Amino acid sequence: LRNRGLEVDLGLTPIKTQDFVWDMKFSYNTNETKILSLASGADEVSIFNNGIAGIYAKVGELFPLIKATAYLRDSQGRIIINQATGDPYYTNNLVSMGRATPKYTLGFNTNIKFKNFNAYAVMDYRTGHKFYSGTMQYFTFSGSLEQSASFDRTQGGYVIPNSVYQDSSGNYVANTSIKSGGDSYPSVVAYYGGTYRNIGENFILDATAFKVREL
């Protein structure tokens, strides 16, 4: 492993009198761990894998690395579906989805003191990373997902935005009418309980967060 990081702190006291003091502290922190080599010349090692998503150590990549099954896409990034069934095609193997640790973290602390009264806050903002939601994946089976509640399920599924299918000439054609999930309630239930829940990309989420840790 090679670990590199940078941390910068800036402390200020914009107001200071006999009865009133206001202190502030800003911080910036970034840290990256890169895999340089693995035992026995391996290219990658699985730390966790549930079949549709996992955490990996991979040579040349930042650690920990998130991998998951993903939609198959054409050269323009459009999701490829099966023209006959409407189901999207997806990979059999896990592919890289990005880093699991923040690219950087911003911190802000403030403390206000007036005579014998004191108020303070501790906050931070972190971004540039992702996480896998197992809870969200479980919700596909029970029909509790926001995604499966945003349309009339009694009419079946929906047309996947920005999707295409391959015609008899091998060209990719924009899909405007073929629904993934069929045309009935049972078929859309089967789609979410089967195809949709097996595509790990659906459950890889942006981990950006702003947190007020103390008040």
Side-chain angles (χ1 to χ4, degrees):
L1 308 178
R2 183 184 68 200
N3 192 64
R4 288 178 174 173
L6 173 68
E7 185 170 341
V8 179
D9 291 325
L10 174 63
L12 302 172
T13 304
I15 301 175
K16 184 175 184 180
T17 67
Q18 183 175 349
D19 295 327
F20 185 88
V21 178
W22 181 19
D23 293 318
M24 293 188 296
K25 180 182 178 182
F26 300 92
S27 65
Y28 170 85
N29 176 61
T30 181
N31 189 77
E32 293 184 345
T33 300
K34 188 174 184 179
I35 303 295
L36 300 182
S37 63
L38 294 168
S40 303
D43 179 62
E44 66 179 25
V45 171
S46 171
I47 309 300
F48 163 80
N49 185 337
N50 67 358
I52 69 167
I55 297 293
Y56 283 76
K58 182 176 176 63
V59 174
E61 300 286 347
L62 298 180
F63 176 81
L65 174 69
I66 299 178
K67 299 181 71 176
T69 52
Y71 290 100
L72 288 180
R73 301 174 185 269
D74 68 2
S75 59
Q76 299 181 44
R78 298 176 296 181
I79 294 173
I80 303 171
I81 68 165
N82 183 316
Q83 184 180 5
T85 65
D87 287 349
Y89 290 111
Y90 59 95
T91 61
N92 293 321
N93 60 313
L94 305 187
V95 299
S96 176
M97 289 288 159
R99 58 192 292 170
T101 53
K103 186 174 183 180
Y104 65 85
T105 301
L106 301 176
F108 175 66
N109 300 353
T110 184
N111 184 61
I112 297 175
K113 183 176 182 182
F114 177 67
K115 294 186 177 181
N116 293 325
F117 295 93
N118 196 62
Y120 70 93
V122 179
M123 296 167 274
D124 68 55
Y125 172 81
R126 54 192 62 200
T127 190
H129 57 316
K130 298 179 180 179
F131 76 99
Y132 164 74
S133 175
T135 301
M136 187 177 178
Q137 198 257 350
Y138 297 146
F139 279 174
T140 62
F141 189 76
S142 63
S144 302
L145 278 184
E146 176 187 357
Q147 287 82 352
S148 62
S150 60
F151 58 92
D152 184 357
R153 289 182 287 191
T154 64
Q155 303 303 309
Y158 61 98
V159 176
I160 296 178
N162 201 34
S163 61
V164 296
Y165 60 88
Q166 198 169 28
D167 64 14
S168 57
S169 300
N171 300 314
Y172 288 113
V173 179
N175 174 34
T176 59
S177 60
I178 304 172
K179 293 193 293 186
S180 296
D183 296 312
S184 66
Y185 187 88
S187 64
V188 77
V189 170
Y191 168 70
Y192 271 94
T195 301
Y196 190 91
R197 75 191 303 259
N198 287 326
I199 305 174
E201 181 181 345
N202 290 320
F203 317 112
I204 305 298
L205 307 178
D206 183 2
T208 297
F210 171 74
K211 296 184 179 182
V212 179
R213 298 193 175 274
E214 294 184 56
L215 275 179

